[in-house]
Amino acid sequence: MGRPKYRLEKLLKELRKHGIADERVLGALERVPRERFISGEQQELAYRNAPLPIGEGQTISQPFVVAFMLQELRLAGTEHVLEVGTGSGYQTALLAELTNSVVSTERHASLADGARQRLARLGYTNVAVYAADGTRGWPRNAPYDAIVVSAGAPEVPTALLDQLADGGRLILPVGSLVSQKLFLVQRRGEHFDRYDRGDVRFVPLVGEEGWGGRASSN
Ligand code: SAH
């Protein structure tokens, strides 16, 4: 299947209209073939501004939400980034376009395997995907200049705060199982500034410091 160019252009126009202005983010969206991250029968829908199922009851995020979160990270290209919730690997590919080092964690091994294969086929060599509970972060490669969480947490996982570099930015949805607020957390020494970036709806972050773990048991 050829790249549905006019649909991509229409999507980019829509994203600009809704406030995505970072040209590096828009450029990455233009270069990463979203259709390669979804299954055959859905590829027609690749450039709609909508989430789509990717298996294991999970979804590839809506392009606007992905673009918005990436824009909030303000990546210049030299950052070391942690992603929690690889899913299809689509946002991982965008991160790989936007910076030079990406670590991504996914709790479903089958999704992690699929994403790793797609990213390798597309030639990304600056990403590492691990099947793990991302609420614990990935301490081995910490600290991170930026962290992006693609699933909704009951609270901000403390492991992610610990692994954020000084001056670093963390973006994540926090709230209930059905709706969350997107928070931007910026670290200044041992101080963490928190900014509300609007309402969102993500699949649950399941893990030790997520749903089903300590954070949601009280
Ligand atoms: N950005 C991805 C979004 C996938 S949906 C994409 O566009 O494809 C969120 C993903 O987070 C799901 O695949 C889900 O399995 C994963 N997830 C949920 N809890 C997790 C955890 N504790 N650690 C790692 N991944 C988790």
Side-chain angles (χ1 to χ4, degrees):
M1 189 183 83
R3 192 100 196 270
K5 198 164 185 297
Y6 77 98
R7 290 194 197 132
L8 169 67
E9 276 161 14
K10 199 165 155 249
L11 173 65
L12 293 174
K13 219 171 137 186
E14 191 179 331
L15 298 182
R16 283 181 194 274
K17 200 177 94 190
H18 287 98
I20 305 302
D22 184 327
E23 292 300 331
R24 293 189 74 241
V25 171
L26 289 162
L29 283 156
E30 200 168 345
R31 291 190 297 277
V32 176
R34 191 169 185 254
E35 68 275 16
R36 298 278 294 268
F37 294 85
I38 55 194
S39 65
E41 67 269 25
Q42 311 234 48
Q43 288 181 348
E44 278 291 298
L45 308 174
Y47 292 94
R48 283 217 193 144
N49 190 17
L52 292 167
I54 56 169
E56 303 284 3
Q58 308 301 322
T59 55
I60 180 172
S61 309
Q62 182 191 4
F64 171 74
V65 176
V66 172
F68 187 82
M69 291 200 295
L70 294 176
Q71 178 165 276
E72 288 290 323
L73 294 181
R74 297 193 192 157
L75 299 172
T78 55
E79 295 84 357
H80 176 46
V81 180
L82 174 67
E83 175 185 52
V84 178
T86 319
S88 65
Y90 175 61
Q91 181 177 268
T92 324
L94 293 168
L95 284 167
E97 294 274 346
L98 289 167
T99 195
N100 56 23
S101 160
V102 184
V103 171
S104 186
T105 55
E106 165 58 52
R107 69 181 280 265
H108 287 289
S110 61
L111 294 178
D113 289 346
R116 204 179 289 120
Q117 277 172 26
R118 279 180 210 113
L119 292 162
R121 255 184 244 129
L122 288 169
Y124 293 105
T125 53
N126 57 339
V127 298
V129 177
Y130 301 105
D133 173 8
T135 67
R136 315 297 302 273
W138 190 258
R140 202 196 301 163
N141 300 110
Y144 302 95
D145 304 303
I147 301 178
V148 53
V149 182
S150 298
E155 284 170 32
V156 182
T158 56
L160 299 184
L161 296 176
D162 289 344
Q163 291 170 37
L164 191 61
D166 195 7
R169 296 161 81 84
L170 157 67
I171 187 130
L172 83 170
V174 178
S176 74
L177 285 168
V178 291
S179 74
Q180 305 91 30
K181 280 198 182 298
L182 201 55
F183 281 129
L184 173 70
V185 180
Q186 196 159 10
R187 180 168 197 165
R188 305 214 179 279
E190 288 314 301
H191 194 78
F192 296 88
D193 294 317
R194 210 195 254 217
Y195 306 92
D196 182 346
R197 289 294 191 250
D199 297 329
V200 285
R201 191 184 173 142
F202 276 85
V203 298
L205 182 74
V206 178
E208 177 72 15
E209 285 201 64
W211 293 99
R214 276 177 302 153
S216 63
S217 62
N218 47 14

